[in-house]
Amino acid sequence: MCGIIGYVGPRKVVPVIIEGLRKLEYRGYDSAGMAIIEAGKLVVVKKRGKLRELEEAVRGNAYEATTGIGHTRWATHGRVEDRNAHPHMDCKGEIAVIHNGIIENYQTLRSDLIKKGHAFSSETDTEVIAHLLEEQVDAGRDLLDAVRGTAHQLQGAYAFLVVASRFPGRVIAVRNLSPLVLGVGDGEMIFSSDTPALLDYTHRIVPLHDGDVVEINDRGYFFYALEDGHAFTRAPMIVQWSAASAEKQGYKHFMLKEIYEQPVVIRDTLYGRFDVATGRVDLKEFADSPVPERISIVAAGTSYHASRVGKYLLEQLARIPTEVSFSSEYRYQQPIVQPGTLGIAVTQSGETIDTLAALRLQRQLGARVVAITNRPESSAVRESDVSFITQAGIEIGVAATKSFMAQLIAFYLMAISFGQRKGTIDQEASLRLGGELAGLSQKCEQVLEYVGVMEAIARKFYQVHDMIFVGRGVNYPIALEGALKMKEISYIHAEGYAAGELKHGPIALLEQNVPVIGLLPRGPLYEKVYSNLQESNARESPLVILAESTDATAQGLASDFIPMPIVGELFSPVLYTVPLQLLAYYTADRKGLDVDQPRNLAKSVTVE
Ligand code: M6R
């Protein structure tokens, strides 16, 4: 939700801001803007629309500035218009602010400021920050004190950056609940909402904590406590990602590249965690703690779907009662946390505010909490007792694909490890499960060879208005995920159902323009799902069936058949997910839509 960037150093700042915003654009792309200190004056340029509009607006200007801030917006307060784009300024046009988050008490602050004579030029919550700063600076405070004094008056979630013409060569940042990272370069400092935008400059990063106020200037970086202003320091950590991993590397879209990376993601997430020869899984993350008596998982969106698979695995393999809640609901359902409960917060970004809030509540209620996340530098890692870092690498496409795959693998590992420790998985079963795990990456490569098939199916159905995805058991969440992928990037109305539920209502939707995509791996539920698909066939819905390549019966029923490698039913989600991702991708691409930046969405949802 909104990307922010700020730079102080020897380089000309405009290209630094533009390139930084390009890397952050996945966080929001309604409008973009920048503020720089040019020859002692504040210059602000901002445009509604994608980043290219801002680029166009600054093209041809020989700006020399080396200090500045930039913003890419996901609108919360105020329509998508130039005036609501960030940065926002004070009345005199000397102070500029960019902000990610929501200022909850902005209406009261705004009325008070208007009474004091301030004139507002936008509908945003953010603009109050600029006017509050103006009050502070006019009272003779230094910019750093002004920022602290202002932040004390704000309620809500924020990460904001400030520059001011009276204080050249300085950028000041504050964080409360919204993500912000500092990159420490050689003689240059850069703030960003997310790490990938820093990698062209440095691999040394310092994630800000809530309540941190940080100044960057030509002498370095300086941390202060928001509460009482005392100075302290935080040591940088080194991130291993390469700048190239945040590039498309020849693929048309990030999403396609990320789908193709999944075999490697499977290998990397398994690496060092299980022994192929014995099938034994050793997770150092849980070495010091007993096997939990029960598990409570919180997550959102795609991470929620991975968690639903996780529940199935943890209950089947380790016999641990497991509940899964949407993190946005968890806090409001008066959750009961019994002794011996392990909380699990699943979040790719580690910054989803609903999930962080649910994680905090789990801990408050006495659970030990593990974060399953892809981002070692994230808030989720800092706020949980232990973290399980998935190895998906940087994911840029707004539609989560490879991070989902890594989350699934994390759940297989956890369920097998707990089962082995508890004794619900014996040696023979360990060998069988280990064999399945070891084969997944290669089978995933095989599935990726069906690109042409999925593209052809997308060509056939890209104009339909509705699609139904069905699966049962461990594949019901995969039906949900397939439908979510389709909705979010192709804007086709898609629903995922447990196949057995179709007859209890949704079957009324079926007709010849409503394709049904059925997940039909071999296993105990095969016959049941097959019957459910026959019921759909009788209503003339075209049937796209994913089943084992040797399954002639399924092939006979399908109007389009996706031949899948042979895999144990429990492991089928890993493989059956991939064609659904490809179907969504090619449908959206065929419709000419912006696959990596679908409308209304943002990669990391840092507002409630
Ligand atoms: O970073 P998180 O895993 O916490 O994000 C949760 C959801 O916002 C995310 O999975 C979202 O649903 C994706 N856009 C789905 O593709």
Side-chain angles (χ1 to χ4, degrees), residues 4 35 58 67 225 248 257 303 360 448:
I4 62 182
V58 294
T67 300
K248 282 192 208 141
K257 171 183 169 246
S303 297
R360 285 179 200 124
L448 284 166

Side-chain angles (χ1 to χ4, degrees), residues 233-490:
T233 191
R234 289 195 193 284
M237 61 190 274
I238 309 289
V239 285
Q240 304 295 352
W241 296 315
S242 67
S245 64
E247 303 292 340
K248 282 192 208 141
Q249 296 174 340
Y251 285 90
K252 185 171 178 190
H253 295 103
F254 279 110
M255 181 180 177
L256 189 59
K257 171 183 169 246
E258 288 158 4
I259 291 173
Y260 269 93
E261 284 171 344
Q262 293 179 112
V264 174
V265 167
I266 296 172
R267 267 199 296 275
D268 288 352
T269 305
L270 289 175
Y271 182 76
R273 286 174 163 140
F274 99 110
D275 177 8
V276 192
T278 60
R280 188 88 206 161
V281 175
D282 277 313
L283 300 180
K284 60 176 178 352
E285 293 84 349
F286 302 103
D288 301 335
S289 50
V291 174
E293 285 166 43
R294 52 190 71 75
I295 290 176
S296 164
I297 311 178
V298 290
T302 288
S303 297
Y304 172 82
H305 296 151
S307 306
R308 293 285 297 259
V309 176
K311 167 183 164 70
Y312 198 89
L313 301 175
L314 288 159
E315 291 188 338
Q316 292 277 313
L317 294 172
R319 308 303 294 155
I320 301 175
T322 302
E323 53 167 46
V324 187
S325 305
F326 284 121
S327 43
S328 55
E329 287 293 312
Y330 184 76
R331 268 189 298 169
Y332 308 105
Q333 63 197 28
Q334 301 190 340
I336 300 163
V337 170
Q338 290 173 300
T341 299
L342 175 71
I344 304 182
V346 185
T347 165
Q348 185 284 131
S349 60
E351 300 293 349
T352 298
I353 204 158
D354 289 325
T355 305
L356 290 176
L359 177 165
R360 285 179 200 124
L361 180 57
Q362 286 184 319
R363 292 190 79 193
Q364 214 175 303
L365 295 174
R368 177 179 158 80
V369 177
V370 56
I372 299 182
T373 180
N374 199 33
R375 305 304 294 263
E377 79 284 28
S378 65
S379 304
V381 169
R382 284 196 300 281
E383 297 206 25
S384 50
D385 296 290
V386 62
S387 41
F388 185 117
I389 308 293
T390 55
Q391 301 296 329
I394 296 171
E395 187 177 68
I396 306 278
V398 166
T401 51
K402 61 175 182 170
S403 61
F404 176 72
M405 188 58 79
Q407 290 166 350
L408 291 184
I409 299 298
F411 275 119
Y412 284 101
L413 289 170
M414 280 173 67
I416 295 173
S417 162
F418 288 150
Q420 288 171 337
R421 287 172 62 188
K422 245 183 105 172
T424 54
I425 298 176
D426 61 18
Q427 224 171 347
E428 195 191 321
S430 290
L431 278 172
R432 189 173 35 80
L433 295 168
E436 290 276 15
L437 274 183
L440 286 176
S441 171
Q442 202 197 344
K443 287 179 183 168
C444 184
E445 268 165 25
Q446 260 172 270
V447 178
L448 284 166
E449 285 166 16
Y450 309 155
V451 163
V453 181
M454 299 321 297
E455 200 173 353
I457 298 176
R459 263 203 307 278
K460 196 161 153 188
F461 294 121
Y462 77 99
Q463 285 174 314
V464 301
H465 295 292
D466 308 277
M467 279 191 193
I468 306 286
F469 292 72
V470 293
R472 277 181 98 147
V474 73
N475 277 301
Y476 165 44
I478 303 306
L480 295 175
E481 176 59 9
L484 176 63
K485 287 290 90 89
M486 187 58 76
K487 274 187 267 219
E488 67 178 335
I489 61 169
S490 77

Side-chain angles (χ1 to χ4, degrees), residues 3-22:
I4 62 182
I5 191 130
Y7 178 85
V8 176
R11 302 178 204 239
K12 288 190 181 168
V13 77
V14 170
V16 173
I17 292 174
I18 295 285
E19 285 318 306
L21 292 182
R22 203 184 309 289

Side-chain angles (χ1 to χ4, degrees), residues 506-522:
I507 201 163
L509 296 171
L510 300 190
E511 39 118 338
Q512 53 189 359
N513 286 327
V514 182
V516 171
I517 292 84
L519 308 173
L520 186 61
R522 288 260 178 230

